[in-house]
PDB file of all heavy atoms in Angstrom:
ATOM      1  N   ILE X   1     120.721 100.025  71.840  1.00  0.00           N
ATOM      2  CA  ILE X   1     120.196 100.617  73.071  1.00  0.00           C
ATOM      3  C   ILE X   1     118.728 100.952  72.838  1.00  0.00           C
ATOM      4  O   ILE X   1     118.406 101.724  71.934  1.00  0.00           O
ATOM      5  CB  ILE X   1     120.978 101.881  73.460  1.00  0.00           C
ATOM      6  CG1 ILE X   1     122.450 101.541  73.726  1.00  0.00           C
ATOM      7  CG2 ILE X   1     120.358 102.541  74.691  1.00  0.00           C
ATOM      8  CD1 ILE X   1     123.323 102.751  74.008  1.00  0.00           C
ATOM      9  N   PRO X   2     117.820 100.384  73.619  1.00  0.00           N
ATOM     10  CA  PRO X   2     116.397 100.641  73.393  1.00  0.00           C
ATOM     11  C   PRO X   2     116.037 102.098  73.650  1.00  0.00           C
ATOM     12  O   PRO X   2     116.594 102.740  74.551  1.00  0.00           O
ATOM     13  CB  PRO X   2     115.699  99.712  74.398  1.00  0.00           C
ATOM     14  CG  PRO X   2     116.730  99.442  75.444  1.00  0.00           C
ATOM     15  CD  PRO X   2     118.058  99.478  74.755  1.00  0.00           C
ATOM     16  N   ASN X   3     115.124 102.626  72.832  1.00  0.00           N
ATOM     17  CA  ASN X   3     114.584 103.944  73.114  1.00  0.00           C
ATOM     18  C   ASN X   3     113.874 103.897  74.466  1.00  0.00           C
ATOM     19  O   ASN X   3     113.227 102.896  74.807  1.00  0.00           O
ATOM     20  CB  ASN X   3     113.586 104.372  72.033  1.00  0.00           C
ATOM     21  CG  ASN X   3     114.253 104.644  70.711  1.00  0.00           C
ATOM     22  OD1 ASN X   3     115.298 105.286  70.657  1.00  0.00           O
ATOM     23  ND2 ASN X   3     113.661 104.160  69.632  1.00  0.00           N
ATOM     24  N   LEU X   4     113.996 104.951  75.231  1.00  0.00           N
ATOM     25  CA  LEU X   4     113.368 104.990  76.536  1.00  0.00           C
ATOM     26  C   LEU X   4     111.855 105.027  76.374  1.00  0.00           C
ATOM     27  O   LEU X   4     111.308 105.939  75.739  1.00  0.00           O
ATOM     28  CB  LEU X   4     113.856 106.222  77.304  1.00  0.00           C
ATOM     29  CG  LEU X   4     113.793 106.179  78.819  1.00  0.00           C
ATOM     30  CD1 LEU X   4     114.666 105.052  79.361  1.00  0.00           C
ATOM     31  CD2 LEU X   4     114.249 107.510  79.394  1.00  0.00           C
ATOM     32  N   SER X   5     111.179 104.043  76.919  1.00  0.00           N
ATOM     33  CA  SER X   5     109.722 103.980  76.820  1.00  0.00           C
ATOM     34  C   SER X   5     109.104 105.112  77.644  1.00  0.00           C
ATOM     35  O   SER X   5     109.490 105.337  78.792  1.00  0.00           O
ATOM     36  CB  SER X   5     109.202 102.628  77.323  1.00  0.00           C
ATOM     37  OG  SER X   5     107.789 102.651  77.391  1.00  0.00           O
ATOM     38  N   LYS X   6     108.143 105.809  77.064  1.00  0.00           N
ATOM     39  CA  LYS X   6     107.476 106.907  77.754  1.00  0.00           C
ATOM     40  C   LYS X   6     106.039 106.544  78.133  1.00  0.00           C
ATOM     41  O   LYS X   6     105.274 107.414  78.553  1.00  0.00           O
ATOM     42  CB  LYS X   6     107.478 108.156  76.859  1.00  0.00           C
ATOM     43  CG  LYS X   6     108.864 108.659  76.444  1.00  0.00           C
ATOM     44  CD  LYS X   6     109.657 109.150  77.640  1.00  0.00           C
ATOM     45  CE  LYS X   6     111.061 109.633  77.247  1.00  0.00           C
ATOM     46  NZ  LYS X   6     111.041 110.857  76.442  1.00  0.00           N
ATOM     47  N   LYS X   7     105.684 105.263  78.022  1.00  0.00           N
ATOM     48  CA  LYS X   7     104.276 104.882  78.233  1.00  0.00           C
ATOM     49  C   LYS X   7     103.812 105.131  79.670  1.00  0.00           C
ATOM     50  O   LYS X   7     102.614 105.347  79.903  1.00  0.00           O
ATOM     51  CB  LYS X   7     104.054 103.424  77.841  1.00  0.00           C
ATOM     52  CG  LYS X   7     104.743 102.390  78.711  1.00  0.00           C
ATOM     53  CD  LYS X   7     104.467 100.975  78.208  1.00  0.00           C
ATOM     54  CE  LYS X   7     105.129  99.928  79.091  1.00  0.00           C
ATOM     55  NZ  LYS X   7     104.867  98.538  78.606  1.00  0.00           N
ATOM     56  N   LEU X   8     104.741 105.098  80.625  1.00  0.00           N
ATOM     57  CA  LEU X   8     104.366 105.328  82.021  1.00  0.00           C
ATOM     58  C   LEU X   8     104.666 106.758  82.486  1.00  0.00           C
ATOM     59  O   LEU X   8     104.535 107.055  83.670  1.00  0.00           O
ATOM     60  CB  LEU X   8     105.091 104.343  82.935  1.00  0.00           C
ATOM     61  CG  LEU X   8     104.638 102.887  82.898  1.00  0.00           C
ATOM     62  CD1 LEU X   8     105.432 102.053  83.907  1.00  0.00           C
ATOM     63  CD2 LEU X   8     103.147 102.767  83.205  1.00  0.00           C
ATOM     64  N   GLN X   9     105.056 107.625  81.557  1.00  0.00           N
ATOM     65  CA  GLN X   9     105.485 108.956  81.970  1.00  0.00           C
ATOM     66  C   GLN X   9     104.380 109.692  82.735  1.00  0.00           C
ATOM     67  O   GLN X   9     104.623 110.263  83.797  1.00  0.00           O
ATOM     68  CB  GLN X   9     105.930 109.787  80.765  1.00  0.00           C
ATOM     69  CG  GLN X   9     106.409 111.182  81.148  1.00  0.00           C
ATOM     70  CD  GLN X   9     107.276 111.822  80.091  1.00  0.00           C
ATOM     71  OE1 GLN X   9     107.737 111.170  79.165  1.00  0.00           O
ATOM     72  NE2 GLN X   9     107.487 113.120  80.219  1.00  0.00           N
ATOM     73  N   ASN X  10     103.171 109.700  82.190  1.00  0.00           N
ATOM     74  CA  ASN X  10     102.080 110.413  82.857  1.00  0.00           C
ATOM     75  C   ASN X  10     101.749 109.785  84.208  1.00  0.00           C
ATOM     76  O   ASN X  10     101.483 110.488  85.187  1.00  0.00           O
ATOM     77  CB  ASN X  10     100.842 110.449  81.961  1.00  0.00           C
ATOM     78  CG  ASN X  10     101.028 111.329  80.740  1.00  0.00           C
ATOM     79  OD1 ASN X  10     101.886 112.220  80.732  1.00  0.00           O
ATOM     80  ND2 ASN X  10     100.247 111.087  79.700  1.00  0.00           N
ATOM     81  N   THR X  11     101.775 108.445  84.261  1.00  0.00           N
ATOM     82  CA  THR X  11     101.480 107.745  85.521  1.00  0.00           C
ATOM     83  C   THR X  11     102.491 108.097  86.601  1.00  0.00           C
ATOM     84  O   THR X  11     102.122 108.410  87.749  1.00  0.00           O
ATOM     85  CB  THR X  11     101.480 106.222  85.292  1.00  0.00           C
ATOM     86  OG1 THR X  11     100.477 105.899  84.338  1.00  0.00           O
ATOM     87  CG2 THR X  11     101.216 105.476  86.579  1.00  0.00           C
ATOM     88  N   ILE X  12     103.785 108.046  86.234  1.00  0.00           N
ATOM     89  CA  ILE X  12     104.831 108.361  87.212  1.00  0.00           C
ATOM     90  C   ILE X  12     104.762 109.829  87.621  1.00  0.00           C
ATOM     91  O   ILE X  12     104.891 110.159  88.805  1.00  0.00           O
ATOM     92  CB  ILE X  12     106.220 108.016  86.641  1.00  0.00           C
ATOM     93  CG1 ILE X  12     106.336 106.522  86.328  1.00  0.00           C
ATOM     94  CG2 ILE X  12     107.315 108.419  87.636  1.00  0.00           C
ATOM     95  CD1 ILE X  12     107.572 106.145  85.538  1.00  0.00           C
ATOM     96  N   GLN X  13     104.524 110.700  86.650  1.00  0.00           N
ATOM     97  CA  GLN X  13     104.449 112.132  86.968  1.00  0.00           C
ATOM     98  C   GLN X  13     103.280 112.423  87.902  1.00  0.00           C
ATOM     99  O   GLN X  13     103.394 113.250  88.824  1.00  0.00           O
ATOM    100  CB  GLN X  13     104.323 112.946  85.685  1.00  0.00           C
ATOM    101  CG  GLN X  13     104.499 114.446  85.895  1.00  0.00           C
ATOM    102  CD  GLN X  13     105.887 114.795  86.414  1.00  0.00           C
ATOM    103  OE1 GLN X  13     106.888 114.475  85.799  1.00  0.00           O
ATOM    104  NE2 GLN X  13     105.946 115.466  87.572  1.00  0.00           N
ATOM    105  N   GLU X  14     102.157 111.744  87.701  1.00  0.00           N
ATOM    106  CA  GLU X  14     101.018 111.931  88.611  1.00  0.00           C
ATOM    107  C   GLU X  14     101.360 111.456  90.016  1.00  0.00           C
ATOM    108  O   GLU X  14     100.994 112.102  91.012  1.00  0.00           O
ATOM    109  CB  GLU X  14      99.793 111.188  88.071  1.00  0.00           C
ATOM    110  CG  GLU X  14      99.149 111.870  86.882  1.00  0.00           C
ATOM    111  CD  GLU X  14      97.937 111.120  86.377  1.00  0.00           C
ATOM    112  OE1 GLU X  14      97.593 110.066  86.964  1.00  0.00           O
ATOM    113  OE2 GLU X  14      97.324 111.589  85.392  1.00  0.00           O
ATOM    114  N   GLU X  15     102.069 110.317  90.106  1.00  0.00           N
ATOM    115  CA  GLU X  15     102.510 109.833  91.412  1.00  0.00           C
ATOM    116  C   GLU X  15     103.354 110.890  92.115  1.00  0.00           C
ATOM    117  O   GLU X  15     103.210 111.134  93.322  1.00  0.00           O
ATOM    118  CB  GLU X  15     103.318 108.542  91.254  1.00  0.00           C
ATOM    119  CG  GLU X  15     102.501 107.307  90.957  1.00  0.00           C
ATOM    120  CD  GLU X  15     101.814 106.778  92.203  1.00  0.00           C
ATOM    121  OE1 GLU X  15     102.335 107.001  93.315  1.00  0.00           O
ATOM    122  OE2 GLU X  15     100.754 106.143  92.070  1.00  0.00           O
ATOM    123  N   ILE X  16     104.260 111.502  91.372  1.00  0.00           N
ATOM    124  CA  ILE X  16     105.132 112.541  91.928  1.00  0.00           C
ATOM    125  C   ILE X  16     104.322 113.762  92.345  1.00  0.00           C
ATOM    126  O   ILE X  16     104.488 114.306  93.445  1.00  0.00           O
ATOM    127  CB  ILE X  16     106.217 112.922  90.891  1.00  0.00           C
ATOM    128  CG1 ILE X  16     107.190 111.754  90.674  1.00  0.00           C
ATOM    129  CG2 ILE X  16     106.966 114.182  91.327  1.00  0.00           C
ATOM    130  CD1 ILE X  16     108.136 111.945  89.504  1.00  0.00           C
ATOM    131  N   ASP X  17     103.425 114.189  91.471  1.00  0.00           N
ATOM    132  CA  ASP X  17     102.674 115.424  91.717  1.00  0.00           C
ATOM    133  C   ASP X  17     101.696 115.303  92.883  1.00  0.00           C
ATOM    134  O   ASP X  17     101.399 116.303  93.552  1.00  0.00           O
ATOM    135  CB  ASP X  17     101.913 115.829  90.456  1.00  0.00           C
ATOM    136  CG  ASP X  17     102.824 116.302  89.334  1.00  0.00           C
ATOM    137  OD1 ASP X  17     104.001 116.601  89.622  1.00  0.00           O
ATOM    138  OD2 ASP X  17     102.364 116.358  88.178  1.00  0.00           O
ATOM    139  N   TYR X  18     101.184 114.092  93.136  1.00  0.00           N
ATOM    140  CA  TYR X  18     100.173 113.917  94.182  1.00  0.00           C
ATOM    141  C   TYR X  18     100.764 113.584  95.550  1.00  0.00           C
ATOM    142  O   TYR X  18     100.042 113.291  96.494  1.00  0.00           O
ATOM    143  CB  TYR X  18      99.170 112.836  93.778  1.00  0.00           C
ATOM    144  CG  TYR X  18      98.275 113.252  92.631  1.00  0.00           C
ATOM    145  CD1 TYR X  18      97.766 112.310  91.743  1.00  0.00           C
ATOM    146  CD2 TYR X  18      97.947 114.587  92.431  1.00  0.00           C
ATOM    147  CE1 TYR X  18      96.953 112.689  90.682  1.00  0.00           C
ATOM    148  CE2 TYR X  18      97.138 114.985  91.375  1.00  0.00           C
ATOM    149  CZ  TYR X  18      96.645 114.031  90.495  1.00  0.00           C
ATOM    150  OH  TYR X  18      95.840 114.404  89.450  1.00  0.00           O
ATOM    151  N   LYS X  19     102.092 113.612  95.663  1.00  0.00           N
ATOM    152  CA  LYS X  19     102.704 113.468  96.974  1.00  0.00           C
ATOM    153  C   LYS X  19     102.358 114.689  97.831  1.00  0.00           C
ATOM    154  O   LYS X  19     101.973 115.755  97.312  1.00  0.00           O
ATOM    155  CB  LYS X  19     104.228 113.323  96.858  1.00  0.00           C
ATOM    156  CG  LYS X  19     104.694 112.101  96.070  1.00  0.00           C
ATOM    157  CD  LYS X  19     104.287 110.795  96.701  1.00  0.00           C
ATOM    158  CE  LYS X  19     104.842 109.599  95.935  1.00  0.00           C
ATOM    159  NZ  LYS X  19     104.391 108.312  96.517  1.00  0.00           N
ATOM    160  N   THR X  20     102.505 114.544  99.144  1.00  0.00           N
ATOM    161  CA  THR X  20     102.096 115.626 100.047  1.00  0.00           C
ATOM    162  C   THR X  20     103.110 116.764 100.034  1.00  0.00           C
ATOM    163  O   THR X  20     103.922 116.943 100.961  1.00  0.00           O
ATOM    164  CB  THR X  20     101.926 115.090 101.480  1.00  0.00           C
ATOM    165  OG1 THR X  20     103.076 114.289 101.821  1.00  0.00           O
ATOM    166  CG2 THR X  20     100.686 114.238 101.605  1.00  0.00           C
ATOM    167  N   LYS X  21     103.061 117.542  98.964  1.00  0.00           N
ATOM    168  CA  LYS X  21     103.968 118.668  98.741  1.00  0.00           C
ATOM    169  C   LYS X  21     103.393 119.510  97.606  1.00  0.00           C
ATOM    170  O   LYS X  21     102.580 119.022  96.803  1.00  0.00           O
ATOM    171  CB  LYS X  21     105.358 118.159  98.328  1.00  0.00           C
ATOM    172  CG  LYS X  21     105.310 117.350  97.056  1.00  0.00           C
ATOM    173  CD  LYS X  21     106.637 116.931  96.533  1.00  0.00           C
ATOM    174  CE  LYS X  21     106.482 116.145  95.235  1.00  0.00           C
ATOM    175  NZ  LYS X  21     105.796 116.880  94.163  1.00  0.00           N
ATOM    176  N   PRO X  22     103.797 120.748  97.512  1.00  0.00           N
ATOM    177  CA  PRO X  22     103.446 121.515  96.317  1.00  0.00           C
ATOM    178  C   PRO X  22     104.087 120.893  95.073  1.00  0.00           C
ATOM    179  O   PRO X  22     105.165 120.289  95.147  1.00  0.00           O
ATOM    180  CB  PRO X  22     104.035 122.900  96.591  1.00  0.00           C
ATOM    181  CG  PRO X  22     104.212 122.956  98.074  1.00  0.00           C
ATOM    182  CD  PRO X  22     104.517 121.553  98.496  1.00  0.00           C
ATOM    183  N   ILE X  23     103.433 121.021  93.936  1.00  0.00           N
ATOM    184  CA  ILE X  23     103.973 120.472  92.686  1.00  0.00           C
ATOM    185  C   ILE X  23     105.349 121.079  92.404  1.00  0.00           C
ATOM    186  O   ILE X  23     105.531 122.300  92.452  1.00  0.00           O
ATOM    187  CB  ILE X  23     103.002 120.731  91.519  1.00  0.00           C
ATOM    188  CG1 ILE X  23     101.753 119.856  91.682  1.00  0.00           C
ATOM    189  CG2 ILE X  23     103.676 120.455  90.172  1.00  0.00           C
ATOM    190  CD1 ILE X  23     100.707 120.065  90.614  1.00  0.00           C
ATOM    191  N   GLY X  24     106.310 120.218  92.152  1.00  0.00           N
ATOM    192  CA  GLY X  24     107.665 120.668  91.835  1.00  0.00           C
ATOM    193  C   GLY X  24     108.513 121.028  93.030  1.00  0.00           C
ATOM    194  O   GLY X  24     109.677 121.432  92.874  1.00  0.00           O
ATOM    195  N   ALA X  25     107.981 120.848  94.244  1.00  0.00           N
ATOM    196  CA  ALA X  25     108.688 121.333  95.440  1.00  0.00           C
ATOM    197  C   ALA X  25     109.959 120.554  95.752  1.00  0.00           C
ATOM    198  O   ALA X  25     110.821 121.044  96.480  1.00  0.00           O
ATOM    199  CB  ALA X  25     107.756 121.307  96.649  1.00  0.00           C
ATOM    200  N   LEU X  26     110.091 119.332  95.213  1.00  0.00           N
ATOM    201  CA  LEU X  26     111.322 118.572  95.441  1.00  0.00           C
ATOM    202  C   LEU X  26     112.314 118.719  94.285  1.00  0.00           C
ATOM    203  O   LEU X  26     113.301 117.992  94.210  1.00  0.00           O
ATOM    204  CB  LEU X  26     111.001 117.091  95.694  1.00  0.00           C
ATOM    205  CG  LEU X  26     110.430 116.798  97.079  1.00  0.00           C
ATOM    206  CD1 LEU X  26     110.068 115.316  97.208  1.00  0.00           C
ATOM    207  CD2 LEU X  26     111.408 117.187  98.176  1.00  0.00           C
ATOM    208  N   GLY X  27     112.042 119.650  93.415  1.00  0.00           N
ATOM    209  CA  GLY X  27     113.013 120.055  92.411  1.00  0.00           C
ATOM    210  C   GLY X  27     113.623 118.927  91.599  1.00  0.00           C
ATOM    211  O   GLY X  27     112.908 118.103  91.023  1.00  0.00           O
ATOM    212  N   VAL X  28     114.943 118.895  91.585  1.00  0.00           N
ATOM    213  CA  VAL X  28     115.677 117.926  90.777  1.00  0.00           C
ATOM    214  C   VAL X  28     115.399 116.495  91.224  1.00  0.00           C
ATOM    215  O   VAL X  28     115.456 115.560  90.420  1.00  0.00           O
ATOM    216  CB  VAL X  28     117.192 118.227  90.818  1.00  0.00           C
ATOM    217  CG1 VAL X  28     117.991 117.151  90.092  1.00  0.00           C
ATOM    218  CG2 VAL X  28     117.475 119.586  90.186  1.00  0.00           C
ATOM    219  N   LEU X  29     115.067 116.302  92.492  1.00  0.00           N
ATOM    220  CA  LEU X  29     114.727 114.952  92.952  1.00  0.00           C
ATOM    221  C   LEU X  29     113.551 114.384  92.151  1.00  0.00           C
ATOM    222  O   LEU X  29     113.501 113.187  91.872  1.00  0.00           O
ATOM    223  CB  LEU X  29     114.381 114.958  94.440  1.00  0.00           C
ATOM    224  CG  LEU X  29     115.502 115.278  95.431  1.00  0.00           C
ATOM    225  CD1 LEU X  29     114.974 115.182  96.856  1.00  0.00           C
ATOM    226  CD2 LEU X  29     116.693 114.358  95.244  1.00  0.00           C
ATOM    227  N   GLU X  30     112.628 115.239  91.790  1.00  0.00           N
ATOM    228  CA  GLU X  30     111.479 114.791  91.005  1.00  0.00           C
ATOM    229  C   GLU X  30     111.914 114.389  89.592  1.00  0.00           C
ATOM    230  O   GLU X  30     111.428 113.400  89.037  1.00  0.00           O
ATOM    231  CB  GLU X  30     110.420 115.886  90.956  1.00  0.00           C
ATOM    232  CG  GLU X  30     109.891 116.266  92.332  1.00  0.00           C
ATOM    233  CD  GLU X  30     108.714 117.226  92.277  1.00  0.00           C
ATOM    234  OE1 GLU X  30     108.114 117.384  91.187  1.00  0.00           O
ATOM    235  OE2 GLU X  30     108.382 117.820  93.324  1.00  0.00           O
ATOM    236  N   THR X  31     112.831 115.158  89.033  1.00  0.00           N
ATOM    237  CA  THR X  31     113.346 114.847  87.694  1.00  0.00           C
ATOM    238  C   THR X  31     114.051 113.496  87.678  1.00  0.00           C
ATOM    239  O   THR X  31     113.852 112.684  86.766  1.00  0.00           O
ATOM    240  CB  THR X  31     114.326 115.942  87.237  1.00  0.00           C
ATOM    241  OG1 THR X  31     113.681 117.212  87.304  1.00  0.00           O
ATOM    242  CG2 THR X  31     114.811 115.686  85.824  1.00  0.00           C
ATOM    243  N   ILE X  32     114.863 113.240  88.699  1.00  0.00           N
ATOM    244  CA  ILE X  32     115.598 111.975  88.782  1.00  0.00           C
ATOM    245  C   ILE X  32     114.628 110.820  88.983  1.00  0.00           C
ATOM    246  O   ILE X  32     114.771 109.754  88.362  1.00  0.00           O
ATOM    247  CB  ILE X  32     116.628 112.007  89.924  1.00  0.00           C
ATOM    248  CG1 ILE X  32     117.646 113.117  89.711  1.00  0.00           C
ATOM    249  CG2 ILE X  32     117.357 110.668  90.022  1.00  0.00           C
ATOM    250  CD1 ILE X  32     118.505 113.377  90.929  1.00  0.00           C
ATOM    251  N   ALA X  33     113.639 111.012  89.858  1.00  0.00           N
ATOM    252  CA  ALA X  33     112.660 109.953  90.115  1.00  0.00           C
ATOM    253  C   ALA X  33     111.947 109.563  88.827  1.00  0.00           C
ATOM    254  O   ALA X  33     111.758 108.367  88.538  1.00  0.00           O
ATOM    255  CB  ALA X  33     111.659 110.416  91.164  1.00  0.00           C
ATOM    256  N   LEU X  34     111.560 110.549  88.040  1.00  0.00           N
ATOM    257  CA  LEU X  34     110.886 110.260  86.771  1.00  0.00           C
ATOM    258  C   LEU X  34     111.818 109.529  85.808  1.00  0.00           C
ATOM    259  O   LEU X  34     111.429 108.532  85.187  1.00  0.00           O
ATOM    260  CB  LEU X  34     110.400 111.566  86.134  1.00  0.00           C
ATOM    261  CG  LEU X  34     109.743 111.427  84.756  1.00  0.00           C
ATOM    262  CD1 LEU X  34     108.506 110.525  84.820  1.00  0.00           C
ATOM    263  CD2 LEU X  34     109.385 112.806  84.198  1.00  0.00           C
ATOM    264  N   GLN X  35     113.063 109.985  85.711  1.00  0.00           N
ATOM    265  CA  GLN X  35     114.014 109.352  84.798  1.00  0.00           C
ATOM    266  C   GLN X  35     114.253 107.887  85.156  1.00  0.00           C
ATOM    267  O   GLN X  35     114.204 107.014  84.287  1.00  0.00           O
ATOM    268  CB  GLN X  35     115.345 110.107  84.802  1.00  0.00           C
ATOM    269  CG  GLN X  35     116.382 109.505  83.857  1.00  0.00           C
ATOM    270  CD  GLN X  35     117.731 110.195  83.942  1.00  0.00           C
ATOM    271  OE1 GLN X  35     117.938 111.106  84.743  1.00  0.00           O
ATOM    272  NE2 GLN X  35     118.672 109.761  83.115  1.00  0.00           N
ATOM    273  N   ILE X  36     114.485 107.609  86.441  1.00  0.00           N
ATOM    274  CA  ILE X  36     114.759 106.230  86.839  1.00  0.00           C
ATOM    275  C   ILE X  36     113.510 105.375  86.675  1.00  0.00           C
ATOM    276  O   ILE X  36     113.588 104.206  86.275  1.00  0.00           O
ATOM    277  CB  ILE X  36     115.302 106.177  88.282  1.00  0.00           C
ATOM    278  CG1 ILE X  36     116.660 106.890  88.353  1.00  0.00           C
ATOM    279  CG2 ILE X  36     115.461 104.724  88.744  1.00  0.00           C
ATOM    280  CD1 ILE X  36     117.270 106.962  89.744  1.00  0.00           C
ATOM    281  N   GLY X  37     112.345 105.942  86.945  1.00  0.00           N
ATOM    282  CA  GLY X  37     111.107 105.218  86.708  1.00  0.00           C
ATOM    283  C   GLY X  37     110.941 104.837  85.246  1.00  0.00           C
ATOM    284  O   GLY X  37     110.528 103.715  84.921  1.00  0.00           O
ATOM    285  N   LEU X  38     111.285 105.764  84.342  1.00  0.00           N
ATOM    286  CA  LEU X  38     111.179 105.474  82.906  1.00  0.00           C
ATOM    287  C   LEU X  38     112.218 104.440  82.481  1.00  0.00           C
ATOM    288  O   LEU X  38     111.929 103.562  81.660  1.00  0.00           O
ATOM    289  CB  LEU X  38     111.346 106.767  82.100  1.00  0.00           C
ATOM    290  CG  LEU X  38     110.226 107.798  82.241  1.00  0.00           C
ATOM    291  CD1 LEU X  38     110.569 109.060  81.463  1.00  0.00           C
ATOM    292  CD2 LEU X  38     108.885 107.239  81.780  1.00  0.00           C
ATOM    293  N   ILE X  39     113.426 104.544  83.019  1.00  0.00           N
ATOM    294  CA  ILE X  39     114.461 103.559  82.683  1.00  0.00           C
ATOM    295  C   ILE X  39     114.013 102.165  83.077  1.00  0.00           C
ATOM    296  O   ILE X  39     114.151 101.198  82.312  1.00  0.00           O
ATOM    297  CB  ILE X  39     115.792 103.909  83.390  1.00  0.00           C
ATOM    298  CG1 ILE X  39     116.417 105.169  82.774  1.00  0.00           C
ATOM    299  CG2 ILE X  39     116.790 102.735  83.302  1.00  0.00           C
ATOM    300  CD1 ILE X  39     117.617 105.703  83.528  1.00  0.00           C
ATOM    301  N   GLN X  40     113.425 102.042  84.266  1.00  0.00           N
ATOM    302  CA  GLN X  40     113.006 100.734  84.781  1.00  0.00           C
ATOM    303  C   GLN X  40     111.579 100.377  84.369  1.00  0.00           C
ATOM    304  O   GLN X  40     111.114  99.270  84.655  1.00  0.00           O
ATOM    305  CB  GLN X  40     113.159 100.702  86.301  1.00  0.00           C
ATOM    306  CG  GLN X  40     114.606 100.860  86.755  1.00  0.00           C
ATOM    307  CD  GLN X  40     114.790 100.737  88.263  1.00  0.00           C
ATOM    308  OE1 GLN X  40     113.877 100.342  88.983  1.00  0.00           O
ATOM    309  NE2 GLN X  40     115.976 101.066  88.735  1.00  0.00           N
ATOM    310  N   ASP X  41     110.901 101.330  83.710  1.00  0.00           N
ATOM    311  CA  ASP X  41     109.538 101.102  83.213  1.00  0.00           C
ATOM    312  C   ASP X  41     108.586 100.727  84.347  1.00  0.00           C
ATOM    313  O   ASP X  41     107.801  99.785  84.257  1.00  0.00           O
ATOM    314  CB  ASP X  41     109.544 100.010  82.137  1.00  0.00           C
ATOM    315  CG  ASP X  41     108.342 100.115  81.198  1.00  0.00           C
ATOM    316  OD1 ASP X  41     107.759 101.207  81.099  1.00  0.00           O
ATOM    317  OD2 ASP X  41     107.983  99.095  80.577  1.00  0.00           O
TER     318      ASP X  41
END
């Protein structure tokens, strides 16, 4: 099982943070979005 690549973590997190909402305002949805983004790279 490949280690989960984290090379896009900052990029995906910035995409999430710059959406039209306060940072973290979508709660667990943001966590899932980041996880699936990392899984799919």
Side-chain angles (χ1 to χ4, degrees):
I1 298 175
N3 291 316
L4 204 61
S5 172
K6 301 295 179 68
K7 67 181 181 180
L8 288 182
Q9 181 160 347
N10 291 338
T11 299
I12 299 170
Q13 191 63 57
E14 286 180 0
E15 285 283 333
I16 292 170
D17 290 344
Y18 291 150
K19 299 297 183 183
T20 47
K21 60 175 181 58
I23 290 178
L26 285 177
V28 175
L29 293 182
E30 299 187 15
T31 305
I32 300 168
L34 177 60
Q35 181 184 3
I36 296 177
L38 292 176
I39 290 172
Q40 297 184 11
D41 204 22

